[in-house]
Amino acid sequence: GMLRLPASSLRLLRAPRGARTAVTEGRFHSPITAALWELRAAEHAPCDPQACDPDQARPPSASEVAIGYAFRTDLMLAEQYRNPWGYVRIGRILEDLDALAGTVAFKHTAPRSPSNLLLVTASVDRIALLRHPRTDEDMTLTGRVDWVGKSSMVIGLTAESGGSAWLRAAFTFVGRDPRTNKAAKVNPLEPDSEAARARFERVAAQVERRRARAKATADPEEAAA
């Protein structure tokens, strides 16, 4: 279901310094980003052998997160995201995208992360701004796992206002062993719908094309042979 985070997030940012948790203290400007970190802390659990099995496949629906921005009724929230002309501040949304992608990656591999698996943002593969929405419309930001390889995964993100998407993005995360810093296996993805399978195949093809381009750049003579 959709997460309704704004009210608690704003209270967190207004709380006395000593009342904040260590994971959010002094780091964030966005109330949604702070709330997403709070969500990760609340869902952290012990890593028993079965739950921490890196071969345990998981569906994208298990880690999908949707955040509702109630701009029309939460005027304090709207003020934090409004630019002087009444449009959404894109820089603040980009901060939220990064936090949401990390939260989705965390949920997909939980409870392995962070004690037994370190998740690192490897790249921002795409940010497509389709239009610039105003803050007089409520907004929804959704993140889900679209593809998983051996030690990497791609998180797809969408921002919607007024019933249509206005931003699409994709972040790649890689898994690392926190003790050795070597590549670590990420839980496989088990698409649980036709749409999820289509996204998986589309992103898999994109990943292969990027790898081929990278190989050709590194060794142009071998690529031309």
Side-chain angles (χ1 to χ4, degrees):
M2 188 181 300
L3 299 178
R4 293 291 181 180
L5 300 176
S8 61
S9 304
L10 290 169
R11 283 198 298 272
L12 174 66
L13 291 189
R14 291 197 298 266
R17 182 178 180 85
R20 298 184 187 179
T21 62
V23 74
T24 60
E25 184 175 359
R27 292 188 184 181
F28 309 116
H29 300 290
S30 160
I32 300 300
T33 296
L36 285 167
W37 277 92
E38 286 293 296
L39 176 65
R40 292 191 216 180
E43 292 193 356
H44 182 67
C47 196
D48 64 76
Q50 183 176 359
C52 283
D53 181 4
D55 294 316
Q56 183 185 72
R58 296 169 179 179
S61 59
S63 55
E64 182 171 337
V65 178
I67 305 169
Y69 295 67
F71 290 147
R72 290 185 296 177
T73 55
D74 193 331
L75 300 183
M76 292 186 66
L77 182 71
E79 186 63 29
Q80 293 213 23
Y81 282 84
R82 181 186 298 118
N83 72 11
W85 300 274
Y87 291 94
V88 173
R89 294 173 58 185
I90 301 302
R92 183 138 293 184
I93 297 302
L94 294 179
E95 182 182 348
D96 291 352
L97 285 176
D98 184 53
L100 178 58
T103 298
V104 172
F106 168 86
K107 288 173 69 67
H108 179 72
T109 57
R112 296 173 61 207
S113 176
S115 302
N116 293 270
L117 179 68
L118 182 64
L119 296 170
V120 180
T121 306
S123 63
V124 178
D125 305 316
R126 177 174 65 105
I127 296 180
L129 184 63
L130 308 177
R131 63 184 177 89
H132 199 172
R134 298 182 62 87
T135 54
D136 55 6
E137 295 180 316
D138 289 345
M139 188 184 88
T140 302
L141 191 61
T142 305
R144 62 183 177 269
V145 183
D146 281 346
W147 176 86
V148 172
K150 185 176 180 181
S151 60
S152 63
M153 59 179 148
V154 175
I155 311 299
L157 305 119
T158 304
E160 297 182 3
S161 296
S164 65
W166 59 268
L167 181 147
R168 299 187 189 279
F171 284 58
T172 294
F173 283 76
V174 295
R176 298 288 182 189
D177 186 311
R179 292 171 292 275
T180 66
N181 201 37
K182 293 182 178 180
K185 188 170 185 178
V186 172
N187 296 75
L189 188 69
E190 190 174 72
D192 51 356
S193 69
E194 287 298 327
R197 276 187 283 274
R199 288 193 300 267
F200 184 94
E201 293 172 3
R202 173 177 53 81
V203 176
Q206 292 171 350
V207 170
E208 286 304 313
R209 287 195 294 270
R210 282 198 297 270
R211 288 175 176 170
R213 286 196 298 267
K215 184 176 181 180
T217 302
D219 194 348
E221 292 184 1
E222 181 179 333

